[in-house]
mmCIF file with all atom_site columns, all heavy atoms in Angstrom:
data_model
loop_
_atom_site.group_PDB
_atom_site.id
_atom_site.type_symbol
_atom_site.label_atom_id
_atom_site.label_alt_id
_atom_site.label_comp_id
_atom_site.label_asym_id
_atom_site.label_entity_id
_atom_site.label_seq_id
_atom_site.pdbx_PDB_ins_code
_atom_site.Cartn_x
_atom_site.Cartn_y
_atom_site.Cartn_z
_atom_site.occupancy
_atom_site.B_iso_or_equiv
_atom_site.pdbx_formal_charge
_atom_site.auth_seq_id
_atom_site.auth_comp_id
_atom_site.auth_asym_id
_atom_site.auth_atom_id
_atom_site.pdbx_PDB_model_num
ATOM 1  N N   . VAL A 1 296 ? 106.137 145.290 118.728 1.00 95.00 ? 296 VAL A N   1
ATOM 2  C CA  . VAL A 1 296 ? 106.999 145.187 119.878 1.00 95.00 ? 296 VAL A CA  1
ATOM 3  C C   . VAL A 1 296 ? 108.150 144.193 119.618 1.00 95.00 ? 296 VAL A C   1
ATOM 4  O O   . VAL A 1 296 ? 109.320 144.473 119.918 1.00 95.00 ? 296 VAL A O   1
ATOM 5  C CB  . VAL A 1 296 ? 106.223 144.764 121.111 1.00 95.00 ? 296 VAL A CB  1
ATOM 6  C CG1 . VAL A 1 296 ? 107.137 144.376 122.286 1.00 95.00 ? 296 VAL A CG1 1
ATOM 7  C CG2 . VAL A 1 296 ? 105.212 145.853 121.525 1.00 95.00 ? 296 VAL A CG2 1
ATOM 8  N N   . GLY A 1 297 ? 107.820 143.095 118.995 1.00 94.00 ? 297 GLY A N   1
ATOM 9  C CA  . GLY A 1 297 ? 108.832 142.106 118.699 1.00 94.00 ? 297 GLY A CA  1
ATOM 10 C C   . GLY A 1 297 ? 109.885 142.574 117.761 1.00 94.00 ? 297 GLY A C   1
ATOM 11 O O   . GLY A 1 297 ? 111.082 142.328 117.939 1.00 94.00 ? 297 GLY A O   1
ATOM 12 N N   . ILE A 1 298 ? 109.467 143.288 116.726 1.00 95.00 ? 298 ILE A N   1
ATOM 13 C CA  . ILE A 1 298 ? 110.453 143.825 115.749 1.00 95.00 ? 298 ILE A CA  1
ATOM 14 C C   . ILE A 1 298 ? 111.342 144.878 116.396 1.00 95.00 ? 298 ILE A C   1
ATOM 15 O O   . ILE A 1 298 ? 112.572 144.858 116.236 1.00 95.00 ? 298 ILE A O   1
ATOM 16 C CB  . ILE A 1 298 ? 109.730 144.425 114.542 1.00 95.00 ? 298 ILE A CB  1
ATOM 17 C CG1 . ILE A 1 298 ? 109.041 143.277 113.746 1.00 95.00 ? 298 ILE A CG1 1
ATOM 18 C CG2 . ILE A 1 298 ? 110.630 145.244 113.649 1.00 95.00 ? 298 ILE A CG2 1
ATOM 19 C CD1 . ILE A 1 298 ? 108.093 143.770 112.635 1.00 95.00 ? 298 ILE A CD1 1
ATOM 20 N N   . ALA A 1 299 ? 110.737 145.769 117.186 1.00 94.00 ? 299 ALA A N   1
ATOM 21 C CA  . ALA A 1 299 ? 111.508 146.816 117.862 1.00 94.00 ? 299 ALA A CA  1
ATOM 22 C C   . ALA A 1 299 ? 112.564 146.203 118.806 1.00 94.00 ? 299 ALA A C   1
ATOM 23 O O   . ALA A 1 299 ? 113.731 146.615 118.782 1.00 94.00 ? 299 ALA A O   1
ATOM 24 C CB  . ALA A 1 299 ? 110.617 147.747 118.605 1.00 94.00 ? 299 ALA A CB  1
ATOM 25 N N   . LEU A 1 300 ? 112.179 145.223 119.553 1.00 94.00 ? 300 LEU A N   1
ATOM 26 C CA  . LEU A 1 300 ? 113.125 144.625 120.504 1.00 94.00 ? 300 LEU A CA  1
ATOM 27 C C   . LEU A 1 300 ? 114.204 143.864 119.825 1.00 94.00 ? 300 LEU A C   1
ATOM 28 O O   . LEU A 1 300 ? 115.401 143.963 120.193 1.00 94.00 ? 300 LEU A O   1
ATOM 29 C CB  . LEU A 1 300 ? 112.390 143.704 121.448 1.00 94.00 ? 300 LEU A CB  1
ATOM 30 C CG  . LEU A 1 300 ? 111.445 144.387 122.496 1.00 94.00 ? 300 LEU A CG  1
ATOM 31 C CD1 . LEU A 1 300 ? 110.716 143.352 123.349 1.00 94.00 ? 300 LEU A CD1 1
ATOM 32 C CD2 . LEU A 1 300 ? 112.331 145.269 123.453 1.00 94.00 ? 300 LEU A CD2 1
ATOM 33 N N   . THR A 1 301 ? 113.853 143.097 118.751 1.00 93.00 ? 301 THR A N   1
ATOM 34 C CA  . THR A 1 301 ? 114.820 142.308 118.060 1.00 93.00 ? 301 THR A CA  1
ATOM 35 C C   . THR A 1 301 ? 115.854 143.175 117.426 1.00 93.00 ? 301 THR A C   1
ATOM 36 O O   . THR A 1 301 ? 117.106 142.915 117.487 1.00 93.00 ? 301 THR A O   1
ATOM 37 C CB  . THR A 1 301 ? 114.148 141.466 116.953 1.00 93.00 ? 301 THR A CB  1
ATOM 38 O OG1 . THR A 1 301 ? 113.196 140.597 117.574 1.00 93.00 ? 301 THR A OG1 1
ATOM 39 C CG2 . THR A 1 301 ? 115.177 140.596 116.235 1.00 93.00 ? 301 THR A CG2 1
ATOM 40 N N   . LEU A 1 302 ? 115.449 144.283 116.779 1.00 93.00 ? 302 LEU A N   1
ATOM 41 C CA  . LEU A 1 302 ? 116.396 145.167 116.073 1.00 93.00 ? 302 LEU A CA  1
ATOM 42 C C   . LEU A 1 302 ? 117.306 145.863 117.110 1.00 93.00 ? 302 LEU A C   1
ATOM 43 O O   . LEU A 1 302 ? 118.533 146.060 116.887 1.00 93.00 ? 302 LEU A O   1
ATOM 44 C CB  . LEU A 1 302 ? 115.648 146.226 115.252 1.00 93.00 ? 302 LEU A CB  1
ATOM 45 C CG  . LEU A 1 302 ? 114.884 145.683 114.032 1.00 93.00 ? 302 LEU A CG  1
ATOM 46 C CD1 . LEU A 1 302 ? 114.145 146.825 113.350 1.00 93.00 ? 302 LEU A CD1 1
ATOM 47 C CD2 . LEU A 1 302 ? 115.813 144.998 113.068 1.00 93.00 ? 302 LEU A CD2 1
ATOM 48 N N   . ALA A 1 303 ? 116.710 146.203 118.270 1.00 92.00 ? 303 ALA A N   1
ATOM 49 C CA  . ALA A 1 303 ? 117.517 146.908 119.314 1.00 92.00 ? 303 ALA A CA  1
ATOM 50 C C   . ALA A 1 303 ? 118.596 145.964 119.905 1.00 92.00 ? 303 ALA A C   1
ATOM 51 O O   . ALA A 1 303 ? 119.647 146.421 120.300 1.00 92.00 ? 303 ALA A O   1
ATOM 52 C CB  . ALA A 1 303 ? 116.622 147.380 120.434 1.00 92.00 ? 303 ALA A CB  1
ATOM 53 N N   . LEU A 1 304 ? 118.278 144.646 119.934 1.00 91.00 ? 304 LEU A N   1
ATOM 54 C CA  . LEU A 1 304 ? 119.227 143.731 120.497 1.00 91.00 ? 304 LEU A CA  1
ATOM 55 C C   . LEU A 1 304 ? 120.348 143.345 119.541 1.00 91.00 ? 304 LEU A C   1
ATOM 56 O O   . LEU A 1 304 ? 121.406 142.855 120.039 1.00 91.00 ? 304 LEU A O   1
ATOM 57 C CB  . LEU A 1 304 ? 118.491 142.463 120.908 1.00 91.00 ? 304 LEU A CB  1
ATOM 58 C CG  . LEU A 1 304 ? 117.618 142.554 122.195 1.00 91.00 ? 304 LEU A CG  1
ATOM 59 C CD1 . LEU A 1 304 ? 116.809 141.249 122.357 1.00 91.00 ? 304 LEU A CD1 1
ATOM 60 C CD2 . LEU A 1 304 ? 118.481 142.804 123.404 1.00 91.00 ? 304 LEU A CD2 1
ATOM 61 N N   . PHE A 1 305 ? 120.146 143.546 118.252 1.00 88.00 ? 305 PHE A N   1
ATOM 62 C CA  . PHE A 1 305 ? 121.199 143.062 117.279 1.00 88.00 ? 305 PHE A CA  1
ATOM 63 C C   . PHE A 1 305 ? 122.574 143.595 117.580 1.00 88.00 ? 305 PHE A C   1
ATOM 64 O O   . PHE A 1 305 ? 123.532 142.809 117.662 1.00 88.00 ? 305 PHE A O   1
ATOM 65 C CB  . PHE A 1 305 ? 120.733 143.401 115.879 1.00 88.00 ? 305 PHE A CB  1
ATOM 66 C CG  . PHE A 1 305 ? 120.471 142.221 115.047 1.00 88.00 ? 305 PHE A CG  1
ATOM 67 C CD1 . PHE A 1 305 ? 119.221 141.718 114.920 1.00 88.00 ? 305 PHE A CD1 1
ATOM 68 C CD2 . PHE A 1 305 ? 121.526 141.596 114.348 1.00 88.00 ? 305 PHE A CD2 1
ATOM 69 C CE1 . PHE A 1 305 ? 118.975 140.587 114.128 1.00 88.00 ? 305 PHE A CE1 1
ATOM 70 C CE2 . PHE A 1 305 ? 121.245 140.472 113.562 1.00 88.00 ? 305 PHE A CE2 1
ATOM 71 C CZ  . PHE A 1 305 ? 119.977 139.942 113.461 1.00 88.00 ? 305 PHE A CZ  1
ATOM 72 N N   . PRO A 1 306 ? 122.754 144.922 117.719 1.00 87.00 ? 306 PRO A N   1
ATOM 73 C CA  . PRO A 1 306 ? 124.136 145.405 117.873 1.00 87.00 ? 306 PRO A CA  1
ATOM 74 C C   . PRO A 1 306 ? 124.880 144.887 119.108 1.00 87.00 ? 306 PRO A C   1
ATOM 75 O O   . PRO A 1 306 ? 126.121 144.876 119.158 1.00 87.00 ? 306 PRO A O   1
ATOM 76 C CB  . PRO A 1 306 ? 123.965 146.910 117.937 1.00 87.00 ? 306 PRO A CB  1
ATOM 77 C CG  . PRO A 1 306 ? 122.642 147.153 117.240 1.00 87.00 ? 306 PRO A CG  1
ATOM 78 C CD  . PRO A 1 306 ? 121.793 146.009 117.611 1.00 87.00 ? 306 PRO A CD  1
#
Side-chain angles (χ1 to χ4, degrees):
V296 170
I298 291 171
L300 289 176
T301 302
L302 294 178
L304 286 172
F305 244 94

